[in-house]
Amino acid sequence: MIRAVRGTRDLLPPETETWNFVEARARELFRVYNFQEIRTPILEDLQLFQRSVGEETDIVSKEMFAWEDRARAQSEKGQWLALRPENTAGVVRAYIEHKLWERPGLQRFYYIGPQFRRERPQKGRYRQFYQIGAEVIGPSAAGSESPVVDAELLEMLASLLDGLGIKGWTLELNSVGCANDRPIFLEALRNALKDVVGKICVDCQRRYETNPLRVLDCKVPEDQPIIEGLPKQSDYLDESCRTHFVEVQKVLTALGVPFVLNNRLVRGLDYYTRTAFEFTHGALGAQNAIIGGGRYDGLSESLGGPAAPGIGFAIGEDRLVMALQESGAVPVSVTDIYIAPLGAGMNIHAAVLARELRKQGIVITVGDETFRLKKSLETASKTGARYALILGENEVVSGQFALKNLATGEQVSVVRKEIFSNISSAARDPYSAEER
Ligand code: HAM
Protein backbone atom coordinates (compact mmCIF):
# COMPACT_ATOMS: atom_id res chain seq x y z
CA MET A 1 0.00 0.00 0.00
CA ILE A 2 1.27 3.45 -0.82
CA ARG A 3 0.91 5.76 2.17
CA ALA A 4 1.03 9.52 2.59
CA VAL A 5 4.63 10.73 2.85
CA ARG A 6 6.10 10.97 6.38
CA GLY A 7 5.07 14.22 8.04
CA THR A 8 2.21 14.83 5.61
CA ARG A 9 -1.39 13.80 6.14
CA ASP A 10 -4.82 13.71 4.61
CA LEU A 11 -7.36 16.03 6.12
CA LEU A 12 -10.66 14.21 6.08
CA PRO A 13 -14.25 15.15 6.75
CA PRO A 14 -15.63 15.96 9.24
CA GLU A 15 -12.37 17.60 10.40
CA THR A 16 -12.17 19.62 7.19
CA GLU A 17 -15.34 21.38 8.41
CA THR A 18 -13.29 22.85 11.24
CA TRP A 19 -10.57 23.94 8.80
CA ASN A 20 -13.12 25.67 6.59
CA PHE A 21 -14.71 27.25 9.62
CA VAL A 22 -11.38 28.67 10.84
CA GLU A 23 -10.51 29.95 7.37
CA ALA A 24 -13.95 31.55 6.93
CA ARG A 25 -13.59 33.32 10.27
CA ALA A 26 -10.08 34.50 9.41
CA ARG A 27 -11.20 35.82 6.01
CA GLU A 28 -14.05 37.68 7.64
CA LEU A 29 -11.69 39.25 10.14
CA PHE A 30 -9.20 40.21 7.42
CA ARG A 31 -12.02 41.90 5.54
CA VAL A 32 -12.91 44.21 8.41
CA TYR A 33 -9.26 45.06 9.06
CA ASN A 34 -8.86 45.75 5.33
CA PHE A 35 -6.37 43.01 4.45
CA GLN A 36 -6.49 41.57 0.95
CA GLU A 37 -5.48 38.14 -0.19
CA ILE A 38 -2.18 37.44 -1.90
CA ARG A 39 -1.26 34.05 -3.36
CA THR A 40 2.38 33.41 -4.06
CA PRO A 41 3.87 30.23 -5.57
CA ILE A 42 4.71 27.26 -3.39
CA LEU A 43 7.93 26.87 -5.35
CA GLU A 44 10.52 29.62 -5.06
CA ASP A 45 14.16 30.18 -5.87
CA LEU A 46 16.18 28.72 -2.98
CA GLN A 47 18.18 31.95 -2.69
CA LEU A 48 15.06 33.79 -1.59
CA PHE A 49 15.02 31.87 1.69
CA GLN A 50 18.77 31.92 2.12
CA ARG A 51 18.74 35.71 1.94
CA SER A 52 15.66 36.32 4.08
CA VAL A 53 15.11 33.54 6.60
CA GLY A 54 18.89 33.18 6.77
CA GLU A 55 21.41 30.52 5.76
CA GLU A 56 22.39 29.65 9.31
CA THR A 57 18.86 29.10 10.59
CA ASP A 58 17.59 25.57 11.21
CA ILE A 59 14.87 26.15 8.65
CA VAL A 60 17.26 26.87 5.79
CA SER A 61 20.27 24.80 6.84
CA LYS A 62 18.42 21.63 7.84
CA GLU A 63 14.74 21.67 7.00
CA MET A 64 14.30 22.77 3.42
CA PHE A 65 12.92 20.62 0.66
CA ALA A 66 15.26 21.93 -2.02
CA TRP A 67 16.73 20.51 -5.21
CA GLU A 68 18.57 21.53 -8.33
CA ASP A 69 16.07 21.73 -11.14
CA ARG A 70 16.84 20.36 -14.57
CA ALA A 71 18.87 22.83 -16.65
CA ARG A 72 17.18 24.31 -19.70
CA ALA A 73 20.26 23.79 -21.88
CA GLN A 74 23.16 21.39 -21.42
CA SER A 75 25.59 24.23 -20.98
CA GLU A 76 23.52 25.79 -18.21
CA LYS A 77 23.30 24.89 -14.59
CA GLY A 78 19.95 24.02 -13.10
CA GLN A 79 18.24 26.53 -10.84
CA TRP A 80 17.99 25.60 -7.15
CA LEU A 81 14.36 25.50 -6.15
CA ALA A 82 12.71 25.08 -2.77
CA LEU A 83 9.25 24.34 -1.43
CA ARG A 84 8.47 27.39 0.64
CA PRO A 85 9.07 26.85 4.38
CA GLU A 86 7.17 30.08 5.14
CA ASN A 87 5.40 32.81 3.22
CA THR A 88 6.82 36.16 4.34
CA ALA A 89 9.78 35.92 1.97
CA GLY A 90 7.48 35.18 -0.98
CA VAL A 91 5.22 38.11 -0.14
CA VAL A 92 8.14 40.55 0.10
CA ARG A 93 9.57 39.17 -3.15
CA ALA A 94 6.21 39.81 -4.83
CA TYR A 95 6.07 43.29 -3.26
CA ILE A 96 9.39 44.11 -4.87
CA GLU A 97 8.78 42.29 -8.17
CA HIS A 98 5.44 44.01 -8.81
CA LYS A 99 6.53 47.40 -7.43
CA LEU A 100 3.68 47.29 -4.95
CA TRP A 101 5.22 50.23 -3.08
CA GLU A 102 3.85 52.38 -5.90
CA ARG A 103 0.36 51.69 -4.61
CA PRO A 104 -0.84 54.31 -2.14
CA GLY A 105 -0.57 53.78 1.61
CA LEU A 106 0.29 50.65 3.49
CA GLN A 107 -0.16 47.28 1.84
CA ARG A 108 -2.04 44.76 3.93
CA PHE A 109 -1.92 41.20 2.65
CA TYR A 110 -3.07 37.87 3.94
CA TYR A 111 -2.46 34.33 2.77
CA ILE A 112 -3.66 30.85 3.57
CA GLY A 113 -1.70 27.87 2.36
CA PRO A 114 0.70 24.97 2.81
CA GLN A 115 4.33 25.36 3.93
CA PHE A 116 7.04 22.71 4.06
CA ARG A 117 9.77 21.96 6.59
CA ARG A 118 11.63 18.69 6.97
CA GLU A 119 11.28 18.58 10.75
CA ARG A 120 10.93 15.50 12.91
CA PRO A 121 7.18 14.87 12.89
CA GLN A 122 5.37 14.87 16.23
CA LYS A 123 2.09 16.09 17.67
CA GLY A 124 1.45 19.51 16.15
CA ARG A 125 4.51 19.34 13.91
CA TYR A 126 4.29 18.27 10.30
CA ARG A 127 6.44 18.45 7.19
CA GLN A 128 3.56 19.86 5.25
CA PHE A 129 1.62 22.23 7.47
CA TYR A 130 -0.68 25.17 6.86
CA GLN A 131 -0.37 28.79 7.76
CA ILE A 132 -2.86 31.63 7.84
CA GLY A 133 -0.65 34.69 7.74
CA ALA A 134 -0.68 38.42 7.15
CA GLU A 135 1.84 41.12 6.35
CA VAL A 136 1.66 44.93 6.59
CA ILE A 137 4.35 46.59 4.51
CA GLY A 138 5.07 49.96 2.95
CA PRO A 139 7.29 53.02 2.97
CA SER A 140 7.99 54.72 6.29
CA ALA A 141 6.15 57.78 4.97
CA ALA A 142 2.98 55.65 4.88
CA GLY A 143 3.37 54.90 8.57
CA SER A 144 4.75 51.37 8.28
CA GLU A 145 7.05 51.80 11.28
CA SER A 146 4.37 53.05 13.61
CA PRO A 147 4.00 51.04 16.84
CA VAL A 148 0.24 51.37 16.32
CA VAL A 149 0.56 49.03 13.34
CA ASP A 150 2.18 46.40 15.59
CA ALA A 151 -0.48 46.76 18.25
CA GLU A 152 -3.34 46.67 15.76
CA LEU A 153 -2.02 43.42 14.29
CA LEU A 154 -1.78 41.85 17.74
CA GLU A 155 -5.23 43.08 18.68
CA MET A 156 -6.61 41.51 15.49
CA LEU A 157 -5.07 38.16 16.50
CA ALA A 158 -6.47 38.39 20.02
CA SER A 159 -9.91 39.04 18.49
CA LEU A 160 -9.57 36.03 16.21
CA LEU A 161 -8.63 33.66 19.05
CA ASP A 162 -11.32 35.05 21.36
CA GLY A 163 -13.92 34.99 18.59
CA LEU A 164 -13.14 31.33 17.93
CA GLY A 165 -13.70 30.59 21.61
CA ILE A 166 -10.07 29.59 22.22
CA LYS A 167 -9.29 30.04 25.88
CA GLY A 168 -5.97 30.04 27.65
CA TRP A 169 -3.73 31.70 25.07
CA THR A 170 -0.74 33.83 26.05
CA LEU A 171 0.82 36.57 23.98
CA GLU A 172 4.58 36.65 24.57
CA LEU A 173 6.26 39.82 23.47
CA ASN A 174 9.84 40.98 23.03
CA SER A 175 11.89 43.48 21.09
CA VAL A 176 14.84 41.96 19.27
CA GLY A 177 16.38 45.34 18.43
CA CYS A 178 17.65 46.49 15.07
CA ALA A 179 20.77 46.73 12.91
CA ASN A 180 22.02 49.52 15.19
CA ASP A 181 22.02 47.74 18.51
CA ARG A 182 22.13 44.08 17.44
CA PRO A 183 25.94 43.90 16.90
CA ILE A 184 26.57 45.33 20.37
CA PHE A 185 24.21 42.85 21.99
CA LEU A 186 25.68 39.96 19.98
CA GLU A 187 29.16 40.89 21.11
CA ALA A 188 28.07 41.02 24.75
CA LEU A 189 26.35 37.66 24.33
CA ARG A 190 29.38 36.06 22.69
CA ASN A 191 31.63 37.39 25.43
CA ALA A 192 29.40 36.01 28.13
CA LEU A 193 29.06 32.68 26.35
CA LYS A 194 32.81 32.33 25.84
CA ASP A 195 33.28 31.48 29.50
CA VAL A 196 30.46 28.95 29.73
CA VAL A 197 30.41 27.35 26.29
CA GLY A 198 31.97 24.14 27.60
CA LYS A 199 29.10 23.69 30.04
CA ILE A 200 26.13 24.11 27.70
CA CYS A 201 24.44 21.49 25.51
CA VAL A 202 25.92 20.39 22.19
CA ASP A 203 23.23 22.22 20.22
CA CYS A 204 24.02 25.45 22.05
CA GLN A 205 27.72 24.96 21.44
CA ARG A 206 26.94 24.88 17.73
CA ARG A 207 24.61 27.89 18.05
CA TYR A 208 27.38 29.76 19.85
CA GLU A 209 29.38 29.51 16.61
CA THR A 210 26.57 30.05 14.10
CA ASN A 211 23.83 32.12 15.73
CA PRO A 212 24.36 32.89 19.43
CA LEU A 213 20.92 34.51 19.71
CA ARG A 214 19.37 31.07 19.40
CA VAL A 215 21.08 29.98 22.62
CA LEU A 216 18.49 32.12 24.42
CA ASP A 217 15.82 29.81 23.00
CA CYS A 218 17.38 26.64 24.51
CA LYS A 219 14.89 24.44 26.35
CA VAL A 220 17.39 22.00 27.96
CA PRO A 221 16.70 22.15 31.74
CA GLU A 222 20.39 21.91 32.78
CA ASP A 223 21.26 24.95 30.63
CA GLN A 224 18.63 27.21 32.16
CA PRO A 225 20.64 28.64 35.09
CA ILE A 226 23.45 29.58 32.69
CA ILE A 227 21.07 31.14 30.17
CA GLU A 228 19.32 33.15 32.85
CA GLY A 229 22.68 34.75 33.64
CA LEU A 230 23.35 35.87 30.04
CA PRO A 231 22.93 39.49 28.89
CA LYS A 232 19.38 40.54 28.02
CA GLN A 233 18.39 42.08 24.72
CA SER A 234 16.17 44.59 26.53
CA ASP A 235 19.24 46.13 28.18
CA TYR A 236 20.86 46.74 24.80
CA LEU A 237 18.04 48.32 22.78
CA ASP A 238 18.94 51.70 21.31
CA GLU A 239 16.78 54.69 22.15
CA SER A 240 14.47 54.45 19.13
CA CYS A 241 13.88 50.71 19.55
CA ARG A 242 13.22 51.16 23.24
CA THR A 243 10.69 53.95 22.64
CA HIS A 244 9.04 51.94 19.88
CA PHE A 245 8.64 48.94 22.14
CA VAL A 246 7.22 51.01 24.99
CA GLU A 247 4.68 52.55 22.60
CA VAL A 248 3.58 49.11 21.33
CA GLN A 249 2.93 48.06 24.92
CA LYS A 250 1.03 51.26 25.70
CA VAL A 251 -1.33 50.82 22.75
CA LEU A 252 -1.85 47.14 23.56
CA THR A 253 -2.75 48.04 27.11
CA ALA A 254 -5.17 50.70 25.89
CA LEU A 255 -6.76 48.12 23.60
CA GLY A 256 -7.10 45.68 26.47
CA VAL A 257 -4.89 43.00 24.92
CA PRO A 258 -3.05 41.08 27.64
CA PHE A 259 0.60 40.18 27.05
CA VAL A 260 3.67 39.02 28.93
CA LEU A 261 7.19 40.23 28.24
CA ASN A 262 9.65 37.46 27.43
CA ASN A 263 13.12 38.80 26.90
CA ARG A 264 14.33 35.36 25.84
CA LEU A 265 11.94 35.21 22.91
CA VAL A 266 14.09 34.92 19.81
CA ARG A 267 12.53 33.82 16.60
CA GLY A 268 13.97 31.11 14.37
CA LEU A 269 14.19 33.40 11.34
CA ASP A 270 16.87 36.02 10.77
CA TYR A 271 14.83 38.85 9.28
CA TYR A 272 13.24 40.07 12.49
CA THR A 273 13.80 43.52 13.98
CA ARG A 274 12.16 45.22 16.95
CA THR A 275 8.78 43.67 17.90
CA ALA A 276 8.78 39.87 17.99
CA PHE A 277 5.95 37.79 19.39
CA GLU A 278 4.41 34.39 19.80
CA PHE A 279 0.97 33.30 20.91
CA THR A 280 1.23 30.09 22.89
CA HIS A 281 -1.45 27.72 24.07
CA GLY A 282 -1.14 25.45 27.07
CA ALA A 283 -3.08 22.50 25.69
CA LEU A 284 -0.74 21.89 22.77
CA GLY A 285 2.19 20.20 24.50
CA ALA A 286 5.76 20.75 23.31
CA GLN A 287 4.69 22.47 20.09
CA ASN A 288 2.81 25.17 21.93
CA ALA A 289 3.40 28.13 19.60
CA ILE A 290 0.18 28.68 17.74
CA ILE A 291 1.22 31.98 16.11
CA GLY A 292 4.60 33.56 15.45
CA GLY A 293 5.56 36.87 13.96
CA GLY A 294 7.25 40.19 14.20
CA ARG A 295 8.76 43.18 12.41
CA TYR A 296 11.18 42.89 9.52
CA ASP A 297 12.16 46.48 8.79
CA GLY A 298 15.21 45.64 6.63
CA LEU A 299 13.90 42.63 4.72
CA SER A 300 12.85 44.37 1.53
CA GLU A 301 16.26 46.02 1.18
CA SER A 302 18.10 42.78 1.83
CA LEU A 303 16.18 41.27 -1.09
CA GLY A 304 17.13 44.15 -3.39
CA GLY A 305 13.97 46.21 -2.90
CA PRO A 306 13.33 49.71 -1.59
CA ALA A 307 13.19 50.52 2.12
CA ALA A 308 9.85 49.07 3.19
CA PRO A 309 9.45 48.33 6.89
CA GLY A 310 6.89 45.67 7.67
CA ILE A 311 5.38 43.41 10.26
CA GLY A 312 3.43 40.21 10.04
CA PHE A 313 2.47 36.91 11.57
CA ALA A 314 1.64 33.36 10.66
CA ILE A 315 -0.86 31.22 12.47
CA GLY A 316 -0.09 27.50 12.46
CA GLU A 317 -3.47 26.38 11.19
CA ASP A 318 -2.89 22.74 12.17
CA ARG A 319 -2.29 23.90 15.74
CA LEU A 320 -5.18 26.35 15.73
CA VAL A 321 -7.52 23.54 14.70
CA MET A 322 -6.07 21.37 17.49
CA ALA A 323 -6.68 24.13 20.03
CA LEU A 324 -10.23 24.51 18.79
CA GLN A 325 -10.80 20.78 19.13
CA GLU A 326 -9.41 20.96 22.68
CA SER A 327 -11.96 23.65 23.47
CA GLY A 328 -14.70 21.41 22.08
CA ALA A 329 -16.12 24.14 19.88
CA VAL A 330 -16.02 22.47 16.48
CA PRO A 331 -18.71 22.93 13.88
CA VAL A 332 -20.53 19.92 12.47
CA SER A 333 -22.44 19.83 9.25
CA VAL A 334 -25.70 17.94 9.30
CA THR A 335 -28.34 16.98 6.80
CA ASP A 336 -31.45 19.06 7.50
CA ILE A 337 -33.85 16.80 5.65
CA TYR A 338 -33.43 13.25 4.47
CA ILE A 339 -35.95 12.72 1.66
CA ALA A 340 -37.15 9.13 1.49
CA PRO A 341 -38.74 8.31 -1.86
CA LEU A 342 -41.17 5.43 -1.36
CA GLY A 343 -41.57 3.78 -4.75
CA ALA A 344 -39.62 3.79 -7.98
CA GLY A 345 -41.79 6.45 -9.55
CA MET A 346 -40.89 8.83 -6.73
CA ASN A 347 -37.26 9.36 -7.66
CA ILE A 348 -37.99 12.20 -10.03
CA HIS A 349 -40.34 13.90 -7.53
CA ALA A 350 -37.66 13.58 -4.86
CA ALA A 351 -35.04 15.13 -7.13
CA VAL A 352 -37.31 18.08 -7.97
CA LEU A 353 -38.24 18.68 -4.33
CA ALA A 354 -34.58 18.43 -3.28
CA ARG A 355 -33.64 21.06 -5.86
CA GLU A 356 -36.34 23.42 -4.60
CA LEU A 357 -35.34 23.06 -0.96
CA ARG A 358 -31.58 23.31 -1.62
CA LYS A 359 -32.20 26.61 -3.36
CA GLN A 360 -33.52 27.81 0.00
CA GLY A 361 -30.25 26.77 1.62
CA ILE A 362 -31.53 23.58 3.23
CA VAL A 363 -29.07 20.67 3.37
CA ILE A 364 -30.72 17.70 1.70
CA THR A 365 -29.77 14.07 1.32
CA VAL A 366 -31.96 12.10 -1.04
CA GLY A 367 -32.76 8.56 0.05
CA ASP A 368 -31.25 5.33 -1.04
CA GLU A 369 -34.00 3.95 -3.22
CA THR A 370 -34.83 1.10 -0.87
CA PHE A 371 -38.41 2.38 -0.92
CA ARG A 372 -39.03 0.89 2.49
CA LEU A 373 -40.24 3.22 5.17
CA LYS A 374 -38.57 1.59 8.17
CA LYS A 375 -35.24 1.16 6.44
CA SER A 376 -35.35 4.75 5.17
CA LEU A 377 -35.99 6.16 8.62
CA GLU A 378 -33.15 4.09 10.04
CA THR A 379 -30.75 5.34 7.41
CA ALA A 380 -31.88 8.93 7.99
CA SER A 381 -31.17 8.60 11.72
CA LYS A 382 -27.81 6.95 11.15
CA THR A 383 -26.61 9.75 8.91
CA GLY A 384 -27.54 12.24 11.63
CA ALA A 385 -30.29 13.98 9.65
CA ARG A 386 -32.59 16.29 11.61
CA TYR A 387 -35.77 15.46 9.70
CA ALA A 388 -37.01 12.75 7.39
CA LEU A 389 -39.53 13.59 4.70
CA ILE A 390 -41.56 10.72 3.32
CA LEU A 391 -42.33 11.00 -0.35
CA GLY A 392 -44.88 8.50 -1.64
CA GLU A 393 -47.59 8.67 -4.25
CA ASN A 394 -50.16 9.90 -1.70
CA GLU A 395 -47.92 12.81 -0.77
CA VAL A 396 -47.37 13.83 -4.37
CA VAL A 397 -51.10 13.68 -5.14
CA SER A 398 -52.26 15.45 -1.97
CA GLY A 399 -49.37 17.95 -1.75
CA GLN A 400 -49.14 17.13 2.00
CA PHE A 401 -45.83 15.77 3.25
CA ALA A 402 -45.04 13.86 6.40
CA LEU A 403 -42.10 15.55 8.09
CA LYS A 404 -40.61 13.60 10.96
CA ASN A 405 -38.37 15.20 13.54
CA LEU A 406 -35.81 12.46 14.11
CA ALA A 407 -34.69 13.74 17.49
CA THR A 408 -38.15 13.92 19.07
CA GLY A 409 -40.01 11.41 16.89
CA GLU A 410 -42.74 14.01 16.37
CA GLN A 411 -44.36 13.95 12.93
CA VAL A 412 -46.30 16.74 11.23
CA SER A 413 -48.09 17.02 7.96
CA VAL A 414 -47.08 20.10 5.97
CA VAL A 415 -47.76 21.51 2.53
CA ARG A 416 -44.86 21.94 0.15
CA LYS A 417 -44.53 25.68 0.69
CA GLU A 418 -44.31 25.29 4.46
CA ILE A 419 -41.47 22.80 4.59
CA PHE A 420 -38.86 25.53 4.78
CA SER A 421 -40.54 27.56 7.52
CA ASN A 422 -41.23 24.39 9.50
CA ILE A 423 -37.64 23.32 9.73
CA SER A 424 -35.98 26.72 9.66
CA SER A 425 -37.48 27.78 12.99
CA ALA A 426 -34.99 25.28 14.36
CA ALA A 427 -32.49 25.66 11.52
CA ARG A 428 -28.87 25.67 12.48
CA ASP A 429 -26.04 27.34 10.75
CA PRO A 430 -22.89 25.64 12.02
CA TYR A 431 -20.92 28.80 11.28
CA SER A 432 -23.12 31.20 13.18
CA ALA A 433 -21.86 32.73 16.41
CA GLU A 434 -25.04 31.77 18.30
CA GLU A 435 -24.36 28.13 17.70
CA ARG A 436 -21.00 28.28 19.44
P1 HAM B 1 7.18 30.61 12.33
O1 HAM B 1 7.25 30.91 13.79
O2 HAM B 1 8.31 29.86 11.75
O3 HAM B 1 7.03 32.01 11.60
O4 HAM B 1 5.83 29.86 12.02
C1 HAM B 1 4.60 30.39 12.44
C2 HAM B 1 3.71 29.28 13.00
O5 HAM B 1 3.60 28.21 12.05
C3 HAM B 1 4.26 28.62 14.25
O6 HAM B 1 3.96 29.36 15.40
C4 HAM B 1 3.53 27.30 14.22
O7 HAM B 1 2.23 27.44 14.77
C5 HAM B 1 3.40 27.00 12.74
N1 HAM B 1 4.42 26.01 12.34
C6 HAM B 1 5.72 26.21 12.06
N2 HAM B 1 6.32 25.05 11.73
C7 HAM B 1 5.37 24.08 11.81
C8 HAM B 1 5.36 22.67 11.58
N3 HAM B 1 6.43 22.01 11.19
N4 HAM B 1 4.20 22.00 11.77
C9 HAM B 1 3.07 22.66 12.16
N5 HAM B 1 3.02 24.00 12.37
C10 HAM B 1 4.16 24.70 12.21
C11 HAM B 1 6.90 32.16 10.26
O8 HAM B 1 6.71 31.27 9.49
C12 HAM B 1 6.93 33.62 9.83
N6 HAM B 1 6.84 33.67 8.36
C13 HAM B 1 5.80 34.39 10.47
C14 HAM B 1 5.80 35.83 10.07
C15 HAM B 1 5.01 36.42 9.17
N7 HAM B 1 6.64 36.72 10.51
C16 HAM B 1 6.38 37.88 9.92
N8 HAM B 1 5.41 37.69 9.08
Side-chain angles (χ1 to χ4, degrees):
M1 185 178 39
I2 299 174
R3 291 175 183 278
V5 172
R6 184 169 145 80
T8 73
R9 61 197 178 130
D10 302 306
L11 300 172
L12 307 173
E15 200 190 337
T16 39
E17 288 287 306
T18 311
W19 286 71
N20 284 331
F21 169 71
V22 161
E23 289 171 18
R25 276 298 176 86
R27 283 181 198 278
E28 180 51 25
L29 195 78
F30 288 135
R31 193 181 67 76
V32 295
Y33 283 80
N34 200 19
F35 283 69
Q36 290 180 315
E37 185 169 9
I38 184 166
R39 299 191 192 195
T40 64
I42 287 168
L43 268 184
E44 295 274 5
D45 190 315
L46 172 63
Q47 283 181 53
L48 174 66
F49 304 112
Q50 291 170 330
R51 285 170 53 186
S52 55
V53 175
E55 260 179 296
E56 298 299 342
T57 59
D58 284 355
I59 296 177
V60 172
S61 67
K62 295 198 242 166
E63 298 167 359
M64 296 274 280
F65 287 94
W67 67 95
E68 189 178 2
D69 200 32
R70 218 177 288 159
R72 270 177 299 181
Q74 258 185 349
S75 55
E76 279 182 28
K77 278 185 135 192
Q79 183 185 16
W80 276 85
L81 302 180
L83 293 183
R84 63 183 185 196
E86 60 95 76
N87 218 155
T88 310
V91 170
V92 176
R93 178 199 49 68
Y95 177 84
I96 299 167
E97 188 169 334
H98 304 287
K99 297 193 172 56
L100 298 180
W101 66 86
E102 289 179 350
R103 298 185 179 187
L106 284 184
Q107 302 307 303
R108 293 185 164 81
F109 303 113
Y110 79 86
Y111 47 83
I112 300 177
Q115 320 292 334
F116 303 83
R117 298 183 193 175
R118 193 189 276 106
E119 293 191 82
R120 198 170 49 77
Q122 64 179 79
K123 184 181 172 212
R125 191 160 74 189
Y126 307 96
R127 291 183 169 183
Q128 173 171 340
F129 59 99
Y130 294 80
Q131 285 186 339
I132 301 176
E135 314 291 345
V136 184
I137 182 168
S140 294
S144 57
E145 283 184 88
S146 165
V148 179
V149 173
D150 306 36
E152 188 184 72
L153 204 71
L154 293 165
E155 182 264 322
M156 174 167 87
L157 285 168
S159 295
L160 178 69
L161 297 179
D162 288 344
L164 284 168
I166 292 177
K167 305 226 160 43
W169 55 263
T170 306
L171 163 57
E172 298 186 24
L173 200 61
N174 193 18
S175 174
V176 295
C178 63
N180 249 346
D181 50 38
R182 179 86 47 84
I184 307 166
F185 175 59
L186 272 178
E187 197 186 309
L189 196 59
R190 274 208 189 88
N191 275 337
L193 277 169
K194 204 163 54 200
D195 304 329
V196 293
V197 68
K199 298 185 206 142
I200 51 180
C201 70
V202 190
D203 272 343
C204 282
Q205 294 184 1
R206 186 179 46 79
R207 291 178 188 135
Y208 167 67
E209 300 292 339
T210 55
N211 187 357
L213 275 181
R214 297 290 298 165
V215 173
L216 298 174
D217 199 27
C218 173
K219 304 276 184 320
V220 175
E222 294 76 33
D223 287 2
Q224 299 311 306
I226 297 174
I227 292 167
E228 283 302 324
L230 293 173
K232 309 230 174 328
Q233 178 96 57
S234 49
D235 295 331
Y236 287 80
L237 294 180
D238 73 8
E239 198 43 42
S240 72
C241 289
R242 193 188 312 275
T243 322
H244 190 273
F245 194 39
V246 169
E247 278 303 310
V248 173
Q249 295 172 55
K250 269 194 203 155
V251 185
L252 277 179
T253 306
L255 292 171
V257 177
F259 59 88
V260 294
L261 296 179
N262 175 359
N263 58 25
R264 279 179 53 184
L265 180 82
V266 283
R267 307 265 303 123
L269 304 93
D270 282 353
Y271 49 64
Y272 288 112
T273 55
R274 294 186 166 177
T275 312
F277 58 86
E278 278 178 4
F279 283 75
T280 54
H281 190 274
L284 294 181
Q287 303 305 313
N288 67 350
I290 203 166
I291 305 173
R295 272 202 167 270
Y296 43 83
D297 290 347
L299 179 55
S300 170
E301 283 147 298
S302 71
L303 290 174
I311 180 167
F313 65 79
I315 304 170
E317 193 177 354
D318 307 71
R319 296 182 192 175
L320 184 63
V321 167
M322 270 168 61
L324 207 60
Q325 287 165 340
E326 291 294 336
S327 73
V330 293
V332 275
S333 84
V334 285
T335 295
D336 291 315
I337 305 182
Y338 181 96
I339 299 181
L342 296 183
M346 293 301 110
N347 277 350
I348 288 177
H349 293 288
V352 171
L353 182 62
R355 179 170 156 86
E356 269 173 44
L357 293 173
R358 284 175 179 143
K359 277 193 181 156
Q360 298 172 59
I362 303 176
V363 183
I364 302 289
T365 301
V366 179
D368 65 353
E369 292 186 302
T370 53
F371 312 129
R372 286 182 3 239
L373 185 59
K374 189 157 172 275
K375 174 86 190 320
S376 290
L377 291 179
E378 272 170 21
T379 314
S381 290
K382 256 191 235 154
T383 54
R386 298 170 55 226
Y387 290 89
L389 186 144
I390 320 298
L391 192 69
E393 235 160 86
N394 288 347
E395 281 77 9
V396 172
V397 173
S398 68
Q400 290 275 338
F401 298 88
L403 191 62
K404 189 179 173 83
N405 182 325
L406 292 167
T408 62
E410 188 191 340
Q411 186 165 315
V412 289
S413 178
V414 288
V415 294
R416 202 175 187 103
K417 274 205 304 244
E418 284 170 5
I419 297 174
F420 176 73
S421 59
N422 242 279
I423 74 143
S424 60
S425 54
R428 24 170 304 140
D429 166 9
Y431 295 160
S432 78
E434 293 73 38
E435 270 299 319
R436 304 179 53 70

